[in-house]
Amino acid sequence: MDNIYLRNIVRKRLSEKRFNHSLRVVETALKMAEDLEADKEKVYTASLLHDYAKNMSPEELLSIARRNQLISSWVEERQPGLLHGPVAAYLCKKEHGIEDEEILRAIRFHTTGCENMTTLDKIVYLADVIEPGRTYEGVNELRDICKHDINKGLLFAFDRTIGYVIKRRMLIHPFTIEARNWIITGIERGGML
Ligand SMILES: [Fe+2]
Ligand SMILES: [Fe+2]
């Protein structure tokens, strides 16, 4: 799939602001890919497409997810915004013939994380939260950690997300808990994966 085609399908789907975010995620992800020796082509495609469904309404997300068995937890029924990852992966495959399972899962899990994340999953997840447009408290610390250790960065990001969700009395997605447990046990075993 050529890069201009991919950029155009994302541009058509997203607001300008979200499109620009996606481009910054691509840039950040490609930089991470260099250090981690990840497949740049896959990193490019997954990071560019990660928010493909982000402009959809909660109703739309829910209806596509219900019709196509994309729901993994009842938490998604209550907070349909969480479905923009799974719905994006579904639409990219269906509408644009993206078949690569590694790319599709990185898109699918970019909001919640999951157990057994691949390097590509981790890059997309983290690039999304540390791209240069992000300004929340602690983002510089997280950028720094990611430069040295992507797994510690992931743990920091999960802790922050879960803390944020708790403060706002929102529901925690079970995948995020599983992802955090998985990364912690890996870090404790000394050197993750
Ligand atoms: Fe997203
Ligand atoms: Fe994003």
Side-chain angles (χ1 to χ4, degrees):
M1 202 88 39
D2 86 47
N3 292 352
I4 294 172
Y5 174 83
L6 290 177
R7 274 170 78 113
N8 282 335
I9 62 170
V10 177
R11 199 200 305 265
K12 265 186 222 147
R13 277 273 178 178
L14 296 182
S15 65
E16 198 185 342
K17 199 173 146 205
R18 287 196 168 131
F19 178 65
N20 288 333
H21 157 73
S22 301
L23 295 182
R24 290 192 300 269
V25 175
V26 171
E27 246 176 74
T28 309
L30 285 175
K31 266 187 222 150
M32 295 173 83
E34 236 163 72
D35 301 334
L36 298 162
E37 289 170 19
D39 181 326
K40 290 230 175 106
E41 195 80 27
K42 292 191 189 202
V43 167
Y44 180 90
T45 306
S47 51
L48 183 60
L49 295 174
H50 80 284
D51 271 344
Y52 186 75
K54 184 78 177 175
N55 265 33
M56 295 181 132
S57 67
E59 295 74 24
E60 256 180 303
L61 288 170
L62 253 184
S63 111
I64 295 177
R66 281 186 181 140
R67 269 186 282 135
N68 299 285
Q69 291 84 46
L70 305 177
I71 307 232
S72 317
S73 159
W74 62 268
V75 168
E76 294 159 1
E77 304 259 359
R78 296 277 295 270
Q79 293 171 189
L82 289 166
L83 288 165
H84 79 272
V87 169
Y90 170 78
L91 292 176
C92 288
K93 183 171 185 176
K94 188 168 168 253
E95 295 179 353
H96 302 292
I98 308 243
E99 302 275 353
D100 187 306
E101 286 302 326
E102 284 182 60
I103 293 174
L104 293 175
R105 56 166 286 143
I107 297 171
R108 175 174 175 210
F109 294 116
H110 87 266
T111 314
T112 56
C114 62
E115 275 183 339
N116 303 317
M117 288 171 87
T118 64
T119 302
L120 181 62
D121 297 344
K122 293 174 186 176
I123 290 175
V124 175
Y125 185 96
L126 285 172
D128 188 24
V129 294
I130 65 169
E131 60 93 344
R134 301 288 196 192
T135 54
Y136 54 86
E137 208 190 312
V139 69
N140 279 329
E141 192 186 346
L142 177 55
R143 285 181 183 125
D144 236 43
I145 297 169
C146 288
K147 265 185 216 149
H148 301 110
D149 188 331
I150 190 173
N151 296 310
K152 291 204 173 112
L154 213 50
L155 176 58
F156 186 99
F158 291 144
D159 283 351
R160 185 198 149 263
T161 300
I162 291 170
Y164 175 94
V165 163
I166 287 172
K167 250 190 227 150
R168 282 160 189 75
R169 284 275 159 93
M170 289 155 67
L171 301 170
I172 307 174
H173 196 291
F175 284 175
T176 309
I177 297 170
E178 287 172 12
R180 181 175 178 276
N181 289 344
W182 166 73
I183 206 92
I184 284 182
T185 50
I187 288 172
E188 280 171 354
R189 280 198 301 272
M192 179 78 196
L193 315 171

